[in-house]
Amino acid sequence: MRQTCVNMVHELARTDPRVVFIGSDLSPGMLDAMKAEMPMRHYMEGVMEQHLVGMAAGMAMDGMMPFFNTIATFITRRCYEQVALDLCLHDLPVRLIANGGGLVYAPLGPTHLAVEDFAILRALPNMTVTAVSDAEEMKRLMRATLSWPHPIYIRLGKGGDPVISKEENGFAIGKGIVTRPGAEHGNVLLISCGIMTAHAQTAADLLAAKGHSVEVIHIHTIKPLDEALILRRAAAADSVFTIEEHTLIGGLGSAVVDLLIEQGPVRQIIKKLGLTDSFVKNYGLQDDLLEINGLMPPQIAAAVEKTLAAAGRAS
């Protein structure tokens, strides 16, 4: 997903003179082809991320569309004030490409795990927060950025994630996608984002095999949230489960629950599935940490059934 994303910056730059790439001490050779072809629109700077957000803001004020790429925790924690004041306050079209979203950097421990990034950036006015499901959907997002006037946070997976998105489903920033339709009434509704949509779909298959009617909605844009779609499909559901590779505080689940409560009255069972409110103490692979947090497909299906049984609504 990461390579697809940065390659798309080069592709977009060929058609749109506003596009520039800014990297912060990234891998040797990153976009060397773009550097050779258009050296005045490729900048590989040192470890000074706060400065680079300001640099991107200045370029945007001068009519450019910078794509700034670095590690997700650096964008969200280290550069928070610059993102807030330099980008969001001025509502500038800067694109923040975040390596290692969620638990991708599991071997490096809590210092590099971007598991509160949605919460941090959702709080900022004018910020758009995205997490696509796979490399093919990343291409569609990148093309859509050219016509989006606001700052965008683009969370990247680790790469090699299964391709589950479909061209025929279309793509628009701020519009969710029903990836698995359910019945008109009585559904178990799974709402997910990023790579967790693939897990949600597998969990839906497991639940369907046990007699449940399951619908899956992929929310690739956490902010602005597709409120109309969520409200419409939640109205057809008896239960709503949000699934995300993010802390349970302030992410997709919080956005969905806020929406449903504000629109109330709430009649559905609502349950958020995500990461606990604690620093990760384990090291390993991304899937290892997902399993520890109960976010692999069999665990998601089991959590749904447990919740339904507790409410007296098991199949």
Side-chain angles (χ1 to χ4, degrees):
M1 189 186 294
R2 178 189 180 190
Q3 196 60 52
T4 297
C5 181
V6 296
N7 286 345
M8 283 298 298
V9 176
H10 188 187
E11 180 178 319
L12 297 177
R14 287 179 171 137
T15 62
D16 192 321
R18 298 174 299 164
V19 173
V20 297
F21 176 79
I22 303 172
S24 171
D25 192 34
L26 300 179
S27 305
M30 176 66 72
L31 283 185
D32 271 356
M34 179 178 178
K35 180 180 180 180
E37 182 179 340
M38 44 191 78
M40 298 305 294
R41 293 161 66 190
H42 178 284
Y43 300 86
M44 188 61 71
E45 306 297 320
V47 182
M48 46 183 175
E49 288 82 5
Q50 298 100 321
H51 163 70
L52 296 182
V53 172
M55 175 180 169
M59 288 182 168
M61 286 181 172
D62 207 29
M64 307 300 285
M65 182 179 287
F67 287 75
F68 171 43
N69 181 207
T70 190
I71 293 174
T73 50
F74 298 171
I75 289 175
T76 55
R77 298 176 193 163
R78 185 176 297 175
C79 300
Y80 191 65
E81 183 169 7
Q82 288 76 21
V83 170
L85 300 184
D86 294 350
L87 303 188
C88 293
L89 180 61
H90 301 288
D91 198 11
L92 297 173
V94 173
R95 287 69 178 100
L96 303 172
I97 301 174
N99 297 343
L103 300 169
V104 168
Y105 288 140
L108 301 180
T111 58
H112 282 63
L113 300 184
V115 296
E116 69 289 287
D117 50 342
F118 298 161
I120 288 172
L121 294 181
R122 276 185 63 227
L124 295 178
N126 298 321
M127 178 56 76
T128 301
V129 180
T130 67
V132 299
S133 60
D134 55 50
E136 290 302 308
E137 190 172 46
M138 178 61 72
K139 295 177 183 177
R140 295 189 275 276
L141 167 61
M142 292 296 282
R143 295 186 190 105
T145 63
L146 292 182
S147 59
W148 190 256
H150 312 292
I152 306 175
Y153 176 74
I154 301 171
R155 185 203 257 205
L156 301 184
K158 67 179 180 180
D161 302 297
V163 174
I164 60 165
S165 64
K166 298 178 180 178
E167 185 78 36
E168 58 265 31
N169 285 337
F171 187 94
I173 293 174
K175 297 296 182 182
I177 298 170
V178 177
T179 61
R180 179 193 176 104
E184 285 303 311
H185 300 286
N187 289 317
V188 173
L189 178 60
L190 306 182
I191 303 176
S192 57
C193 62
I195 67 159
M196 295 310 298
T197 296
H199 286 8
Q201 292 193 165
T202 302
D205 292 339
L206 297 173
L207 290 165
K210 294 188 175 183
H212 297 280
S213 174
V214 187
E215 181 164 304
V216 179
I217 296 178
H218 173 50
I219 300 295
H220 51 67
T221 309
I222 294 89
K223 182 184 179 183
L225 192 67
D226 191 343
E227 297 183 353
L229 175 63
I230 292 171
L231 289 172
R232 185 171 69 252
R233 298 318 303 154
D238 287 339
S239 58
V240 178
F241 296 82
T242 62
I243 306 165
E244 58 190 316
E245 189 186 10
H246 185 277
T247 175
L248 290 169
I249 298 174
L252 172 65
S254 295
V256 170
V257 171
D258 286 351
L259 172 65
L260 296 179
I261 289 175
E262 288 170 1
Q263 295 294 322
V266 176
R267 62 168 183 79
Q268 304 94 340
I269 300 167
I270 303 176
K271 177 74 172 177
K272 297 190 294 182
L273 302 178
L275 307 177
T276 59
D277 179 27
S278 61
F279 287 106
V280 172
K281 297 180 175 61
N282 304 88
Y283 292 74
L285 300 177
Q286 183 180 22
D287 282 353
D288 295 331
L289 298 191
L290 288 173
E291 184 171 14
I292 288 170
N293 284 275
L295 292 175
M296 295 301 283
Q299 296 170 304
I300 293 169
V304 169
E305 289 209 294
K306 181 179 179 180
T307 304
L308 295 179
R313 300 191 194 181
S315 61

